[in-house]
Every structure is written in structure tokens, then in C-alpha cells.
Amino acid sequence: MAVKKTSTQAPFPQVVRGADLDRRAVLYSRVSTLNGQDPEMQSREIREYCLRRGWPLVGEYVDRGISGAKERRPQLDRLIADAHKRKFEVIVVWKFDRFARSVSHLLRALENFRALGIEFVSLSEQIDTSTPTGKMIFTVLGAVAELERSLIAERVRAGLRNAKAKGRKLGRPSKRVNPTQIAALRAQGVPWRRIGTQLGVSAATAYAACKGRL
């Protein structure tokens, strides 16, 4: 009698054994308009990916008809709030531009997630910050962003030096106040705060002008 062989092959070969299976995942998807765009395509691919990885999908955050350039996105804001509550360990998106409005926005978010112990996966770019390759790419992106910030700062400093060399006065122009007018208002019992509001300066500036310090 033939002995029936028991298959030991895992149903999903991509599943990583061990601690990886303890990670709770959430998905984020977004479409800019509701005219012919459906976030379900993104969500479906993310669900299939999480199934292959063996990650339980514990939440879905979907913004519909919202431009990626907008500062506020209801579902993304909710995801960030839940991340701080440690409700999951992995965020999976279909593509970077579905999540972040710029490279700098993406890097700030990834740094925040890393501090919270949350991994980030982008399917289209095949980026997974839980892997050595993903960590390397994140480091490279961070270095490029830091270089960009340094170049911008150097250009600003060069512009200031150039303006100073040409004799231009830097900083905001100082506001002129009339000490006599301030003294008259004080004689009427007007508080310093109200005097400053009337003259468009702070109460401290009004006081200093009245005392002859300006």
C-alpha cells in the first residue's frame, strides 16, 4: 500500500517565518478623482501581497477624490494618528505618489514611522524598509534630501552675503513709533497692550519707545 506523502510546502512561499508573521499590516490607497478612477485596484493588490507575506490586514485607509498635493487628507491623517497609537507594524501602499506629495514629505513620514518601529512597503517601487535593500534605499534618499537642503541653505547664505556687500539692510524694516503719542495714550490710562495694537507694534516695543530706548 502506497504511503501518502504529506506536503510540507507552505501555501504561500513568500511568507517569512518567525516574527514576521506577528506584524499587523494596514493599507493606504488614494485616487485624485472619482471620474474613472477606483482605489479598489490598488487595495486588491495590497491585500494579495499581505496574504502572501502572512501579514494580517487590520485596517484599510482609502482617500477618494483627493489630490495628493493637499496638505490634509482625512484617511491619511487617521492613519498617522493610529500609527502613533501603535495599532499596526507595517504600512503598505501601491505607489509612493499615492501616499506622499513630495520626496521630502515621504522622508519625513518614513523617519516618523521608523521612530515608531513601523515598516513601510511600496509595491510598485518594490521598496520594503524591513529588508536590508529597503533600508539602503531609504538611507540614499535621506542623503540626497540632506544634500538638497544643504545646497538651498548655501544659496540663501550666498544671497545674503551678496546683498550685504551691496549695502542692503537685511531683516524686516523697523516700525517707527511716536513716543509723544504713546505718552498721551498712557496719560489717558490706555494699557500697553492696547497701545501696541493701535500702533501695530508689540506692547514691549511701545513701552521701550516711550522710555526712549528706541
Side-chain angles (χ1 to χ4, degrees):
M1 181 178 177
V3 178
K4 187 177 180 181
K5 293 183 179 180
T6 302
S7 174
T8 58
Q9 184 177 5
F12 301 104
Q14 294 91 338
V15 168
V16 179
R17 296 299 180 187
D20 195 57
L21 291 175
D22 298 329
R23 290 174 176 169
R24 297 166 298 171
V26 296
L27 69 79
Y28 177 78
S29 57
R30 178 186 63 81
V31 290
S32 300
T33 68
L34 297 176
N35 185 18
Q37 294 187 2
D38 186 0
E40 179 58 24
M41 183 274 292
Q42 302 173 31
S43 300
R44 183 174 58 252
E45 291 195 14
I46 295 172
R47 291 189 200 106
E48 292 173 354
Y49 176 83
C50 290
L51 185 63
R52 292 195 300 272
R53 291 295 298 266
W55 291 339
L57 193 62
V58 297
E60 298 189 6
Y61 303 80
V62 182
D63 278 315
R64 295 177 172 85
I66 298 180
S67 169
K70 287 189 175 181
E71 184 76 21
R72 309 293 297 181
R73 286 183 254 161
Q75 290 300 304
L76 181 60
D77 292 344
R78 188 167 71 89
L79 182 149
I80 299 298
D82 287 347
H84 283 85
K85 296 174 184 177
R86 310 295 175 90
K87 290 188 175 183
F88 47 81
E89 287 76 43
V90 186
I91 298 171
V92 187
V93 302
W94 185 65
K95 198 174 183 180
F96 276 154
D97 63 6
R98 298 298 87 193
F99 176 82
R101 63 183 179 272
S102 65
V103 174
S104 59
H105 177 216
L106 173 65
L107 288 171
R108 286 197 303 272
L110 292 183
E111 288 171 355
N112 190 24
F113 295 151
R114 183 169 62 175
L116 294 171
I118 295 173
E119 305 296 351
F120 184 88
V121 177
S122 176
L123 300 187
S124 297
E125 288 86 4
Q126 297 183 357
I127 301 299
D128 180 351
T129 60
S130 69
T131 67
T133 302
K135 286 183 172 65
M136 181 194 71
I137 293 175
F138 172 68
T139 302
V140 171
L141 286 173
V144 171
E146 180 63 30
L147 174 61
E148 184 181 21
R149 287 192 293 266
S150 298
L151 292 174
I152 291 172
E154 180 54 37
R155 284 196 294 269
V156 170
R157 287 193 292 268
L160 292 174
R161 288 195 299 269
N162 184 48
K164 202 170 182 179
K166 291 181 178 180
R168 295 178 187 171
K169 189 175 181 180
L170 305 176
R172 292 187 298 177
S174 57
K175 292 185 178 181
R176 295 184 179 277
V177 291
N178 187 338
T180 304
Q181 182 184 5
I182 296 173
L185 290 171
R186 282 297 296 166
Q188 298 172 22
V190 180
W192 289 110
R193 187 184 297 275
R194 191 181 301 172
I195 292 174
T197 302
Q198 285 185 240
L199 300 179
V201 297
S202 67
T205 298
Y207 180 84
C210 184
K211 300 299 181 181
R213 298 175 187 169
L214 294 180

